PDB file of all heavy atoms in Angstrom:
ATOM      1  N   VAL Y  38     -25.348  19.409  -9.107  1.00  0.00           N
ATOM      2  CA  VAL Y  38     -26.095  18.210  -9.487  1.00  0.00           C
ATOM      3  C   VAL Y  38     -25.954  17.188  -8.360  1.00  0.00           C
ATOM      4  O   VAL Y  38     -24.837  16.874  -7.932  1.00  0.00           O
ATOM      5  CB  VAL Y  38     -25.607  17.622 -10.828  1.00  0.00           C
ATOM      6  CG1 VAL Y  38     -26.493  16.459 -11.248  1.00  0.00           C
ATOM      7  CG2 VAL Y  38     -25.573  18.695 -11.910  1.00  0.00           C
ATOM      8  N   ASP Y  39     -27.074  16.681  -7.903  1.00  0.00           N
ATOM      9  CA  ASP Y  39     -27.092  15.834  -6.719  1.00  0.00           C
ATOM     10  C   ASP Y  39     -26.626  14.413  -7.031  1.00  0.00           C
ATOM     11  O   ASP Y  39     -27.186  13.756  -7.915  1.00  0.00           O
ATOM     12  CB  ASP Y  39     -28.529  15.792  -6.166  1.00  0.00           C
ATOM     13  CG  ASP Y  39     -28.558  15.649  -4.663  1.00  0.00           C
ATOM     14  OD1 ASP Y  39     -27.496  15.422  -4.060  1.00  0.00           O
ATOM     15  OD2 ASP Y  39     -29.660  15.752  -4.089  1.00  0.00           O
ATOM     16  N   ASP Y  40     -25.605  13.954  -6.333  1.00  0.00           N
ATOM     17  CA  ASP Y  40     -25.141  12.567  -6.428  1.00  0.00           C
ATOM     18  C   ASP Y  40     -24.561  12.217  -7.808  1.00  0.00           C
ATOM     19  O   ASP Y  40     -24.680  11.086  -8.261  1.00  0.00           O
ATOM     20  CB  ASP Y  40     -26.274  11.565  -6.102  1.00  0.00           C
ATOM     21  CG  ASP Y  40     -26.772  11.669  -4.667  1.00  0.00           C
ATOM     22  OD1 ASP Y  40     -26.482  12.675  -3.993  1.00  0.00           O
ATOM     23  OD2 ASP Y  40     -27.466  10.735  -4.211  1.00  0.00           O
ATOM     24  N   LEU Y  41     -23.911  13.179  -8.435  1.00  0.00           N
ATOM     25  CA  LEU Y  41     -23.405  12.974  -9.802  1.00  0.00           C
ATOM     26  C   LEU Y  41     -21.957  12.499  -9.794  1.00  0.00           C
ATOM     27  O   LEU Y  41     -21.038  13.256  -9.535  1.00  0.00           O
ATOM     28  CB  LEU Y  41     -23.494  14.279 -10.598  1.00  0.00           C
ATOM     29  CG  LEU Y  41     -23.043  14.185 -12.062  1.00  0.00           C
ATOM     30  CD1 LEU Y  41     -23.975  13.274 -12.856  1.00  0.00           C
ATOM     31  CD2 LEU Y  41     -22.967  15.572 -12.688  1.00  0.00           C
ATOM     32  N   PHE Y  74     -17.148  15.573   1.978  1.00  0.00           N
ATOM     33  CA  PHE Y  74     -18.058  14.681   2.718  1.00  0.00           C
ATOM     34  C   PHE Y  74     -18.920  13.888   1.733  1.00  0.00           C
ATOM     35  O   PHE Y  74     -19.430  14.467   0.780  1.00  0.00           O
ATOM     36  CB  PHE Y  74     -19.006  15.495   3.617  1.00  0.00           C
ATOM     37  CG  PHE Y  74     -18.326  16.204   4.747  1.00  0.00           C
ATOM     38  CD1 PHE Y  74     -17.861  17.490   4.583  1.00  0.00           C
ATOM     39  CD2 PHE Y  74     -18.148  15.577   5.972  1.00  0.00           C
ATOM     40  CE1 PHE Y  74     -17.223  18.159   5.620  1.00  0.00           C
ATOM     41  CE2 PHE Y  74     -17.518  16.233   7.009  1.00  0.00           C
ATOM     42  CZ  PHE Y  74     -17.057  17.530   6.841  1.00  0.00           C
ATOM     43  N   PRO Y  75     -19.132  12.601   2.006  1.00  0.00           N
ATOM     44  CA  PRO Y  75     -19.964  11.808   1.103  1.00  0.00           C
ATOM     45  C   PRO Y  75     -21.451  11.857   1.463  1.00  0.00           C
ATOM     46  O   PRO Y  75     -22.131  10.827   1.496  1.00  0.00           O
ATOM     47  CB  PRO Y  75     -19.393  10.395   1.275  1.00  0.00           C
ATOM     48  CG  PRO Y  75     -18.972  10.356   2.713  1.00  0.00           C
ATOM     49  CD  PRO Y  75     -18.491  11.747   3.036  1.00  0.00           C
ATOM     50  N   THR Y  76     -21.950  13.038   1.741  1.00  0.00           N
ATOM     51  CA  THR Y  76     -23.391  13.202   1.935  1.00  0.00           C
ATOM     52  C   THR Y  76     -23.762  14.628   1.569  1.00  0.00           C
ATOM     53  O   THR Y  76     -22.923  15.544   1.647  1.00  0.00           O
ATOM     54  CB  THR Y  76     -23.824  12.854   3.371  1.00  0.00           C
ATOM     55  OG1 THR Y  76     -25.237  12.668   3.406  1.00  0.00           O
ATOM     56  CG2 THR Y  76     -23.436  13.948   4.352  1.00  0.00           C
ATOM     57  N   CYS Y  77     -25.041  14.815   1.162  1.00  0.00           N
ATOM     58  CA  CYS Y  77     -25.436  16.068   0.506  1.00  0.00           C
ATOM     59  C   CYS Y  77     -25.151  17.303   1.354  1.00  0.00           C
ATOM     60  O   CYS Y  77     -24.411  18.202   0.959  1.00  0.00           O
ATOM     61  CB  CYS Y  77     -26.923  16.046   0.178  1.00  0.00           C
ATOM     62  SG  CYS Y  77     -27.516  14.599  -0.690  1.00  0.00           S
ATOM     63  N   GLY Y  78     -25.796  17.378   2.534  1.00  0.00           N
ATOM     64  CA  GLY Y  78     -25.769  18.620   3.305  1.00  0.00           C
ATOM     65  C   GLY Y  78     -24.368  18.992   3.744  1.00  0.00           C
ATOM     66  O   GLY Y  78     -23.947  20.150   3.619  1.00  0.00           O
ATOM     67  N   SER Y  80     -21.462  18.042   2.450  1.00  0.00           N
ATOM     68  CA  SER Y  80     -20.616  18.369   1.310  1.00  0.00           C
ATOM     69  C   SER Y  80     -20.899  19.780   0.807  1.00  0.00           C
ATOM     70  O   SER Y  80     -19.985  20.570   0.530  1.00  0.00           O
ATOM     71  CB  SER Y  80     -20.855  17.358   0.184  1.00  0.00           C
ATOM     72  OG  SER Y  80     -20.133  17.738  -0.965  1.00  0.00           O
ATOM     73  N   ARG Y  81     -22.165  20.099   0.701  1.00  0.00           N
ATOM     74  CA  ARG Y  81     -22.546  21.426   0.198  1.00  0.00           C
ATOM     75  C   ARG Y  81     -22.137  22.510   1.186  1.00  0.00           C
ATOM     76  O   ARG Y  81     -21.687  23.590   0.792  1.00  0.00           O
ATOM     77  CB  ARG Y  81     -24.050  21.450  -0.079  1.00  0.00           C
ATOM     78  CG  ARG Y  81     -24.414  20.609  -1.290  1.00  0.00           C
ATOM     79  CD  ARG Y  81     -25.868  20.170  -1.281  1.00  0.00           C
ATOM     80  NE  ARG Y  81     -26.135  19.255  -2.377  1.00  0.00           N
ATOM     81  CZ  ARG Y  81     -26.682  19.607  -3.536  1.00  0.00           C
ATOM     82  NH1 ARG Y  81     -27.060  20.850  -3.736  1.00  0.00           N
ATOM     83  NH2 ARG Y  81     -26.874  18.718  -4.487  1.00  0.00           N
ATOM     84  N   ASN Y  98     -26.177  16.193   7.524  1.00  0.00           N
ATOM     85  CA  ASN Y  98     -27.111  16.982   6.726  1.00  0.00           C
ATOM     86  C   ASN Y  98     -27.707  18.140   7.517  1.00  0.00           C
ATOM     87  O   ASN Y  98     -28.436  18.960   6.957  1.00  0.00           O
ATOM     88  CB  ASN Y  98     -28.237  16.083   6.189  1.00  0.00           C
ATOM     89  CG  ASN Y  98     -27.769  15.285   4.975  1.00  0.00           C
ATOM     90  OD1 ASN Y  98     -26.819  15.674   4.288  1.00  0.00           O
ATOM     91  ND2 ASN Y  98     -28.438  14.177   4.704  1.00  0.00           N
ATOM     92  N   LYS Y 130     -32.008  22.831  -5.262  1.00  0.00           N
ATOM     93  CA  LYS Y 130     -31.177  22.292  -4.178  1.00  0.00           C
ATOM     94  C   LYS Y 130     -29.734  22.752  -4.353  1.00  0.00           C
ATOM     95  O   LYS Y 130     -28.937  22.109  -5.036  1.00  0.00           O
ATOM     96  CB  LYS Y 130     -31.253  20.766  -4.158  1.00  0.00           C
ATOM     97  CG  LYS Y 130     -30.469  20.162  -2.988  1.00  0.00           C
ATOM     98  CD  LYS Y 130     -30.684  18.663  -2.887  1.00  0.00           C
ATOM     99  CE  LYS Y 130     -29.771  18.054  -1.827  1.00  0.00           C
ATOM    100  NZ  LYS Y 130     -29.987  16.614  -1.653  1.00  0.00           N
ATOM    101  N   HIS Y 133     -28.986  22.728   1.088  1.00  0.00           N
ATOM    102  CA  HIS Y 133     -29.453  21.351   1.279  1.00  0.00           C
ATOM    103  C   HIS Y 133     -30.925  21.192   0.923  1.00  0.00           C
ATOM    104  O   HIS Y 133     -31.284  20.361   0.110  1.00  0.00           O
ATOM    105  CB  HIS Y 133     -29.188  20.872   2.717  1.00  0.00           C
ATOM    106  CG  HIS Y 133     -29.593  19.447   2.935  1.00  0.00           C
ATOM    107  ND1 HIS Y 133     -30.427  19.050   3.939  1.00  0.00           N
ATOM    108  CD2 HIS Y 133     -29.297  18.331   2.237  1.00  0.00           C
ATOM    109  CE1 HIS Y 133     -30.611  17.750   3.859  1.00  0.00           C
ATOM    110  NE2 HIS Y 133     -29.930  17.286   2.839  1.00  0.00           N
ATOM    111  N   PHE Y 167     -38.693  17.088  -4.244  1.00  0.00           N
ATOM    112  CA  PHE Y 167     -37.370  16.470  -4.307  1.00  0.00           C
ATOM    113  C   PHE Y 167     -37.486  14.965  -4.525  1.00  0.00           C
ATOM    114  O   PHE Y 167     -36.712  14.370  -5.273  1.00  0.00           O
ATOM    115  CB  PHE Y 167     -36.592  16.770  -3.020  1.00  0.00           C
ATOM    116  CG  PHE Y 167     -35.216  16.178  -3.025  1.00  0.00           C
ATOM    117  CD1 PHE Y 167     -34.222  16.718  -3.827  1.00  0.00           C
ATOM    118  CD2 PHE Y 167     -34.925  15.063  -2.260  1.00  0.00           C
ATOM    119  CE1 PHE Y 167     -32.958  16.157  -3.858  1.00  0.00           C
ATOM    120  CE2 PHE Y 167     -33.660  14.503  -2.291  1.00  0.00           C
ATOM    121  CZ  PHE Y 167     -32.676  15.048  -3.082  1.00  0.00           C
ATOM    122  N   PHE Y 224     -31.993  17.930  -8.943  1.00  0.00           N
ATOM    123  CA  PHE Y 224     -32.245  16.876  -7.944  1.00  0.00           C
ATOM    124  C   PHE Y 224     -31.728  15.498  -8.378  1.00  0.00           C
ATOM    125  O   PHE Y 224     -31.354  14.671  -7.558  1.00  0.00           O
ATOM    126  CB  PHE Y 224     -33.744  16.742  -7.673  1.00  0.00           C
ATOM    127  CG  PHE Y 224     -34.390  18.011  -7.182  1.00  0.00           C
ATOM    128  CD1 PHE Y 224     -35.759  18.182  -7.287  1.00  0.00           C
ATOM    129  CD2 PHE Y 224     -33.644  19.027  -6.603  1.00  0.00           C
ATOM    130  CE1 PHE Y 224     -36.378  19.332  -6.821  1.00  0.00           C
ATOM    131  CE2 PHE Y 224     -34.251  20.192  -6.136  1.00  0.00           C
ATOM    132  CZ  PHE Y 224     -35.624  20.344  -6.253  1.00  0.00           C
ATOM    133  N   HIS Y 227     -30.162  11.794  -7.784  1.00  0.00           N
ATOM    134  CA  HIS Y 227     -30.490  11.317  -6.436  1.00  0.00           C
ATOM    135  C   HIS Y 227     -31.708  10.392  -6.518  1.00  0.00           C
ATOM    136  O   HIS Y 227     -32.586  10.584  -7.354  1.00  0.00           O
ATOM    137  CB  HIS Y 227     -30.796  12.531  -5.551  1.00  0.00           C
ATOM    138  CG  HIS Y 227     -30.870  12.225  -4.086  1.00  0.00           C
ATOM    139  ND1 HIS Y 227     -31.910  11.507  -3.544  1.00  0.00           N
ATOM    140  CD2 HIS Y 227     -30.051  12.538  -3.052  1.00  0.00           C
ATOM    141  CE1 HIS Y 227     -31.709  11.389  -2.238  1.00  0.00           C
ATOM    142  NE2 HIS Y 227     -30.583  12.003  -1.909  1.00  0.00           N
ATOM    143  N   GLU Y 270     -29.935   3.649   2.351  1.00  0.00           N
ATOM    144  CA  GLU Y 270     -30.590   4.706   1.590  1.00  0.00           C
ATOM    145  C   GLU Y 270     -31.535   4.150   0.528  1.00  0.00           C
ATOM    146  O   GLU Y 270     -32.599   4.712   0.279  1.00  0.00           O
ATOM    147  CB  GLU Y 270     -29.536   5.595   0.934  1.00  0.00           C
ATOM    148  CG  GLU Y 270     -30.165   6.819   0.308  1.00  0.00           C
ATOM    149  CD  GLU Y 270     -29.169   7.735  -0.340  1.00  0.00           C
ATOM    150  OE1 GLU Y 270     -28.014   7.329  -0.538  1.00  0.00           O
ATOM    151  OE2 GLU Y 270     -29.563   8.876  -0.647  1.00  0.00           O
ATOM    152  N   TRP Y 328     -20.936  21.092 -10.744  1.00  0.00           N
ATOM    153  CA  TRP Y 328     -20.343  20.433  -9.571  1.00  0.00           C
ATOM    154  C   TRP Y 328     -21.268  19.322  -9.081  1.00  0.00           C
ATOM    155  O   TRP Y 328     -22.470  19.549  -8.897  1.00  0.00           O
ATOM    156  CB  TRP Y 328     -20.152  21.487  -8.468  1.00  0.00           C
ATOM    157  CG  TRP Y 328     -19.659  20.984  -7.152  1.00  0.00           C
ATOM    158  CD1 TRP Y 328     -18.387  20.608  -6.838  1.00  0.00           C
ATOM    159  CD2 TRP Y 328     -20.416  20.845  -5.928  1.00  0.00           C
ATOM    160  NE1 TRP Y 328     -18.314  20.232  -5.509  1.00  0.00           N
ATOM    161  CE2 TRP Y 328     -19.545  20.372  -4.929  1.00  0.00           C
ATOM    162  CE3 TRP Y 328     -21.760  21.072  -5.593  1.00  0.00           C
ATOM    163  CZ2 TRP Y 328     -19.957  20.115  -3.618  1.00  0.00           C
ATOM    164  CZ3 TRP Y 328     -22.176  20.827  -4.292  1.00  0.00           C
ATOM    165  CH2 TRP Y 328     -21.272  20.355  -3.319  1.00  0.00           C
ATOM    166  N   GLY Y 329     -20.732  18.131  -8.887  1.00  0.00           N
ATOM    167  CA  GLY Y 329     -21.482  17.045  -8.262  1.00  0.00           C
ATOM    168  C   GLY Y 329     -21.175  17.023  -6.778  1.00  0.00           C
ATOM    169  O   GLY Y 329     -20.000  17.089  -6.392  1.00  0.00           O
ATOM    170  N   ASP Y 330     -22.194  16.933  -5.929  1.00  0.00           N
ATOM    171  CA  ASP Y 330     -21.946  17.100  -4.489  1.00  0.00           C
ATOM    172  C   ASP Y 330     -21.236  15.899  -3.867  1.00  0.00           C
ATOM    173  O   ASP Y 330     -20.743  15.994  -2.744  1.00  0.00           O
ATOM    174  CB  ASP Y 330     -23.226  17.490  -3.726  1.00  0.00           C
ATOM    175  CG  ASP Y 330     -24.272  16.401  -3.674  1.00  0.00           C
ATOM    176  OD1 ASP Y 330     -24.188  15.413  -4.431  1.00  0.00           O
ATOM    177  OD2 ASP Y 330     -25.207  16.538  -2.851  1.00  0.00           O
ATOM    178  N   HIS Y 331     -21.155  14.785  -4.580  1.00  0.00           N
ATOM    179  CA  HIS Y 331     -20.340  13.627  -4.211  1.00  0.00           C
ATOM    180  C   HIS Y 331     -20.603  12.562  -5.247  1.00  0.00           C
ATOM    181  O   HIS Y 331     -21.437  12.754  -6.138  1.00  0.00           O
ATOM    182  CB  HIS Y 331     -20.677  13.089  -2.805  1.00  0.00           C
ATOM    183  CG  HIS Y 331     -22.135  12.957  -2.565  1.00  0.00           C
ATOM    184  ND1 HIS Y 331     -22.869  11.947  -3.115  1.00  0.00           N
ATOM    185  CD2 HIS Y 331     -23.000  13.748  -1.900  1.00  0.00           C
ATOM    186  CE1 HIS Y 331     -24.130  12.113  -2.771  1.00  0.00           C
ATOM    187  NE2 HIS Y 331     -24.254  13.200  -2.049  1.00  0.00           N
ATOM    188  N   GLY Y 332     -19.894  11.443  -5.141  1.00  0.00           N
ATOM    189  CA  GLY Y 332     -20.089  10.358  -6.091  1.00  0.00           C
ATOM    190  C   GLY Y 332     -21.176   9.398  -5.645  1.00  0.00           C
ATOM    191  O   GLY Y 332     -22.035   9.746  -4.814  1.00  0.00           O
ATOM    192  N   TRP Y 333     -21.138   8.203  -6.178  1.00  0.00           N
ATOM    193  CA  TRP Y 333     -22.161   7.203  -5.871  1.00  0.00           C
ATOM    194  C   TRP Y 333     -21.623   5.836  -6.258  1.00  0.00           C
ATOM    195  O   TRP Y 333     -20.965   5.698  -7.298  1.00  0.00           O
ATOM    196  CB  TRP Y 333     -23.439   7.495  -6.669  1.00  0.00           C
ATOM    197  CG  TRP Y 333     -24.699   7.327  -5.903  1.00  0.00           C
ATOM    198  CD1 TRP Y 333     -25.136   8.122  -4.887  1.00  0.00           C
ATOM    199  CD2 TRP Y 333     -25.706   6.324  -6.102  1.00  0.00           C
ATOM    200  NE1 TRP Y 333     -26.366   7.676  -4.440  1.00  0.00           N
ATOM    201  CE2 TRP Y 333     -26.725   6.572  -5.162  1.00  0.00           C
ATOM    202  CE3 TRP Y 333     -25.843   5.238  -6.970  1.00  0.00           C
ATOM    203  CZ2 TRP Y 333     -27.863   5.784  -5.071  1.00  0.00           C
ATOM    204  CZ3 TRP Y 333     -26.981   4.453  -6.880  1.00  0.00           C
ATOM    205  CH2 TRP Y 333     -27.977   4.729  -5.931  1.00  0.00           C
ATOM    206  N   LYS Y 343     -24.162   6.271  -1.331  1.00  0.00           N
ATOM    207  CA  LYS Y 343     -22.948   7.038  -1.023  1.00  0.00           C
ATOM    208  C   LYS Y 343     -22.565   6.678   0.408  1.00  0.00           C
ATOM    209  O   LYS Y 343     -22.468   5.516   0.729  1.00  0.00           O
ATOM    210  CB  LYS Y 343     -23.198   8.542  -1.218  1.00  0.00           C
ATOM    211  CG  LYS Y 343     -24.355   9.095  -0.428  1.00  0.00           C
ATOM    212  CD  LYS Y 343     -25.435   9.656  -1.299  1.00  0.00           C
ATOM    213  CE  LYS Y 343     -26.445  10.427  -0.479  1.00  0.00           C
ATOM    214  NZ  LYS Y 343     -27.649  10.796  -1.207  1.00  0.00           N
ATOM    215  N   HIS Y 344     -22.257   7.657   1.237  1.00  0.00           N
ATOM    216  CA  HIS Y 344     -22.017   7.402   2.663  1.00  0.00           C
ATOM    217  C   HIS Y 344     -20.895   6.399   2.891  1.00  0.00           C
ATOM    218  O   HIS Y 344     -20.967   5.554   3.782  1.00  0.00           O
ATOM    219  CB  HIS Y 344     -23.296   6.904   3.368  1.00  0.00           C
ATOM    220  CG  HIS Y 344     -24.440   7.864   3.250  1.00  0.00           C
ATOM    221  ND1 HIS Y 344     -25.749   7.485   3.404  1.00  0.00           N
ATOM    222  CD2 HIS Y 344     -24.470   9.184   2.995  1.00  0.00           C
ATOM    223  CE1 HIS Y 344     -26.534   8.529   3.243  1.00  0.00           C
ATOM    224  NE2 HIS Y 344     -25.788   9.581   2.997  1.00  0.00           N
TER     225      HIS Y 344
HETATM  226 CA1   CA E   6     -26.088  14.468  -2.797  1.00  0.00          CA
END
Side-chain angles (χ1 to χ4, degrees):
V38 185
D39 212 351
D40 296 15
L41 182 65
F74 293 91
T76 196
C77 310
S80 175
R81 289 158 186 262
N98 281 337
K130 184 173 173 177
H133 183 233
F167 181 72
F224 302 160
H227 192 289
E270 189 179 13
W328 175 76
D330 68 346
H331 46 75
W333 222 70
K343 56 242 191 191
H344 302 159

